[in-house]
Amino acid sequence: TQPGGTGRQTVRIYDRDISAVDFTLKAIPVYSIEGRVTLPAGDNNYNGVKIFRTGGAAPVQPDPTGLYRIENLLAGTYEVWAEADGYTVVSPPGNRHSVKVGPDEFGKDFELIRYYNISGTVHLNGGTGDVRNAVVYCGNLKAVPDENGDYHFDDLMPGTYSLYTTLKGYTTMTPPNGLLQVVLGPDKDNADFTMDATTLLKVFGKVKILKGGADVTSVLISAGGRSANPLPDSTYTLEGLSPGVYDLTG
């Protein structure tokens, strides 16, 4: 049958056999798309790369040299793209080849580079600052440390990055100039900062006991991990507080 034909004949049988009800089939031509995947120098993780096409078929993988081939395609136009965990496609732009097959098509190549990560810890010395209020900057990106001071930047392109951190009332002591230069490829761990409290403030006040004969000096006033007992004249001073918002308790 020809492409698009029904492959059907109508036969009426009455009182005798019918012969010569024949069919002639013609093979429908199929085509292929071929290309090569290029990874960074020294990286042979081709088994982690998958090549997809429109039409819902299962992806194919490159061979150990990076060569891939999509076979058994009917004539038509297909979108072809590549995916790999931890990598981004830099060529072709937009990670798409629009391929019209019939005949076969070659040279539909992909170039992938790895994503990299930066991680480190912000350490605070002195004061009562909350490390979760610090901000670590990496170019136009920023990260906020967790309660342990740990931060990270993920999925970065290879290259050189400048990192610095800020926290009100603190000055970065290490690295010495406050700026950390990181060259990615491979990942960068232990990109740490140490910050010293340089602005320490005080809170003054007075405690008044309305009833009873309690000793005012036995009252404990607390805020930000600092505490103080009032003097006999009922005044108290909380010292060594970093800039911030505090709930005072007494």
Side-chain angles (χ1 to χ4, degrees):
T1 61
Q2 296 295 323
T6 63
R8 177 184 300 171
Q9 297 190 58
T10 301
V11 178
R12 293 181 175 83
I13 302 177
Y14 296 103
D15 56 359
R16 60 187 177 85
D17 297 336
I18 300 295
S19 60
V21 183
D22 302 332
F23 291 86
T24 300
L25 279 70
K26 180 179 180 181
I28 299 175
V30 292
Y31 304 97
S32 64
I33 299 171
E34 186 176 297
R36 185 173 297 278
V37 173
T38 301
L39 298 178
D43 189 343
N44 296 312
N45 185 31
Y46 293 109
N47 61 354
V49 180
K50 295 179 180 179
I51 308 297
F52 295 84
R53 70 165 175 88
T54 50
V60 301
Q61 289 183 297
D63 67 17
T65 70
L67 184 68
Y68 77 88
R69 185 178 178 86
I70 304 173
E71 300 179 315
N72 299 319
L73 299 173
L74 297 177
T77 300
Y78 299 85
E79 295 287 321
V80 182
W81 67 95
E83 294 182 7
D85 290 341
Y87 293 79
T88 185
V89 177
V90 294
S91 178
N95 187 19
R96 284 292 189 278
H97 284 297
S98 181
V99 185
K100 184 177 181 179
V101 295
D104 296 337
E105 287 291 328
F106 303 91
K108 304 307 175 183
D109 302 335
F110 294 92
E111 182 181 357
L112 285 71
I113 60 174
R114 266 207 63 188
Y115 281 132
Y116 294 100
N117 305 315
I118 299 173
S119 62
T121 303
V122 178
H123 304 277
L124 301 184
N125 290 331
T128 55
D130 187 341
V131 72
R132 293 172 296 181
N133 292 328
V135 179
V136 182
Y137 294 89
C138 176
N140 60 354
L141 303 174
K142 62 182 180 180
V144 176
D146 63 18
E147 65 274 10
N148 299 314
D150 297 330
Y151 76 91
H152 57 88
F153 293 98
D154 299 325
D155 298 339
L156 299 174
M157 302 282 281
T160 300
Y161 295 83
S162 297
L163 280 73
Y164 65 95
T165 185
T166 61
L167 176 60
K168 191 172 183 180
Y170 284 79
T171 298
T172 302
M173 306 306 292
T174 57
N177 62 355
L179 195 64
L180 184 63
Q181 296 288 340
V182 173
V183 179
L184 284 183
D187 295 335
K188 174 61 177 177
D189 302 320
N190 303 315
D192 299 343
F193 294 91
T194 300
M195 307 184 77
D196 286 0
T198 51
T199 302
L200 297 177
L201 306 174
K202 299 178 183 180
V203 174
F204 303 91
K206 193 171 185 178
V207 176
K208 184 177 182 180
I209 298 177
L210 296 178
K211 293 183 180 180
D215 183 358
V216 72
T217 62
S218 66
V219 176
L220 186 67
I221 306 298
S222 300
R226 299 288 191 265
S227 60
N229 298 107
L231 297 174
D233 66 358
S234 299
T235 61
Y236 73 89
T237 303
L238 288 176
E239 302 185 43
L241 295 172
S242 297
V245 178
Y246 298 92
D247 292 323
L248 273 69
T249 60

